[in-house]
Amino acid sequence: MTDFTALPDLAARTLGGSVMAASDESFEEKENLINPWAPAFRPETFGPKGQEYDGWETRRRREPGHDWALVRLGLPGVIRGVVIDTAWFKGNYPPHASVEACAVDGHPTDLTGADWVEIVPKSPLTGDAAHAFPVHAERLFTHVRLNMFPDGGIARLRVHGDVVPDPAFLTGLTVDLAALENGARVVECSNMFYSSPDNMLFPGLARNQAEGWETARRREPGNEWALIRLAAPGTIHMAEIDTTNLKFNAPAEVSLTTADGTPLLPRTRLQPDARHRFRLETPEVDHVRVNIYPDGGLARLRLWGPLTPTAEKALTTRWTTLHQKP
């Protein structure tokens, strides 16, 4: 895969993505396209519609045209690349596919009049393979349309990019400065053996250990850490450090500092499988380093506080600029 796959999947169901409509889903449901797990397959599992697949599959088309699926991104953003995965579809994959995108405010149900932009031209596909397509369109998108020519099955659609939060839901409010949905990201990390540190920043509660950040067992002196670029500069009033589901592999202690080492939360004892909250009064910060001692995992990290006036203005300018048509 290419570098863009390290960016958040803006279409993932775990980030709020949804498949709004599809031209056909006779064999397998359209919702499978954005499942967060890797496609699975069990041979000789036949239902009333034939072999079962973990993906979206349409009937054999006997008339002109092509099939399509419409996806509302969970997070608006600038799309940097798309992955069209035909995993396990070997004799029933579409020979070609393309992707279009548009930006529409609110929660529309009819996008027929939207300004659709082709971000992946009609391109050849092969069976049982992940196809990565870089995207070069410096503008905001909220929806994508996957077209396959003429029919067949696609296991997953991944839409990787940079989150661009709507400033209407950030300005003048106390917000989670560490939330991925608000534009925060982990930019450096000492260890991500079991799972990505970005998982700490996902919305909602972690349902199991895999939905948080977990390191390998540390065998040398020191401790593990992750550096978070906040959604925008702000001041932190409360930190929430959650070890839910981590019963025998939670860190013994945690601390928070700025990128240059200025203490924000001193080294503090943690309990396993528990949500911890701490009142803070920090200076203006744009990056926070979470240190865990000596290793282990965190389910979620929340850093609540207001943005600075300068940051609010910058977010509004960015949203407006990227929302304009080129």
Side-chain angles (χ1 to χ4, degrees), residues 116-176:
W116 289 98
V117 177
E118 188 176 68
I119 59 173
V120 176
K122 186 175 179 179
S123 304
L125 300 181
T126 58
D128 195 24
H131 307 78
F133 301 98
V135 173
H136 306 285
E138 199 66 27
R139 58 183 292 185
L140 179 77
F141 293 116
T142 60
H143 296 74
V144 297
R145 183 163 57 201
L146 171 63
N147 303 297
M148 61 177 173
F149 304 92
D151 55 39
I154 292 175
R156 295 290 187 269
L157 174 69
R158 307 297 189 201
V159 183
H160 296 279
D162 297 317
V163 178
V164 180
D166 186 342
F169 302 105
L170 297 178
T171 55
L173 301 171
T174 296
V175 299
D176 182 3

Side-chain angles (χ1 to χ4, degrees), residues 15-302:
L15 291 176
S18 174
V19 185
M20 298 172 59
S23 57
D24 184 85
E25 49 184 332
S26 295
F27 284 114
E28 300 295 350
E29 294 80 5
K30 61 186 184 300
E31 287 81 8
N32 290 333
L33 277 172
I34 58 173
N35 285 335
W37 56 84
F41 182 75
R42 292 184 301 157
E44 300 182 8
T45 50
F46 286 91
K49 297 180 181 180
Q51 171 66 49
E52 296 176 349
Y53 286 88
D54 184 8
W56 168 49
E57 187 181 6
T58 69
R59 72 180 70 196
R60 299 188 186 216
R61 179 174 282 272
R62 303 308 188 195
E63 63 280 348
H66 67 276
D67 286 317
W68 53 266
L70 181 61
V71 177
R72 181 183 66 241
L73 301 181
L75 301 176
V78 178
I79 299 172
R80 303 300 183 187
V82 171
V83 178
I84 301 174
D85 190 352
T86 59
W88 305 110
F89 288 100
K90 299 178 180 180
N92 48 354
Y93 64 91
H96 294 87
S98 71
V99 181
E100 301 165 277
C102 70
V104 182
D105 291 330
H107 300 85
T109 57
D110 184 2
L111 295 173
T112 54
D115 177 30
W116 289 98
V117 177
E118 188 176 68
I119 59 173
V120 176
K122 186 175 179 179
S123 304
L125 300 181
T126 58
D128 195 24
H131 307 78
F133 301 98
V135 173
H136 306 285
E138 199 66 27
R139 58 183 292 185
L140 179 77
F141 293 116
T142 60
H143 296 74
V144 297
R145 183 163 57 201
L146 171 63
N147 303 297
M148 61 177 173
F149 304 92
D151 55 39
I154 292 175
R156 295 290 187 269
L157 174 69
R158 307 297 189 201
V159 183
H160 296 279
D162 297 317
V163 178
V164 180
D166 186 342
F169 302 105
L170 297 178
T171 55
L173 301 171
T174 296
V175 299
D176 182 3
L177 298 170
L180 191 147
E181 63 184 330
N182 292 337
R185 285 293 314 281
V186 173
V187 293
E188 292 183 49
C189 178
S190 61
N191 187 283
M192 58 178 86
F193 185 84
Y194 286 110
S195 49
S196 168
D198 265 345
N199 289 354
M200 293 186 294
L201 315 183
F202 268 51
L205 299 176
R207 295 171 296 177
N208 52 53
Q209 291 184 28
E211 292 190 353
W213 167 47
E214 186 182 357
T215 74
R217 300 190 186 211
R218 190 175 183 92
R219 303 306 189 190
E220 61 277 356
N223 68 280
E224 308 297 355
W225 53 269
L227 181 64
I228 298 105
R229 183 194 68 223
L230 301 182
T235 56
I236 302 170
H237 292 171
M238 186 179 76
E240 183 176 305
I241 299 171
D242 187 357
T243 60
T244 296
N245 304 309
L246 298 154
K247 299 180 179 180
F248 307 105
N249 48 358
E253 297 174 304
V254 68
S255 71
L256 300 175
T257 69
T258 63
D260 62 6
T262 302
L264 301 175
L265 174 71
R267 192 162 167 170
T268 302
R269 187 76 182 176
L270 289 181
Q271 295 295 324
D273 195 26
R275 205 164 54 143
H276 310 72
R277 292 196 270 186
F278 307 96
R279 287 290 298 265
L280 302 177
E281 290 298 333
T282 73
E284 178 184 324
V285 289
D286 55 9
H287 288 72
V288 170
R289 175 167 154 153
V290 55
N291 304 286
I292 58 174
Y293 304 90
D295 56 29
L298 296 178
R300 292 291 186 266
L301 174 68
R302 309 292 189 209

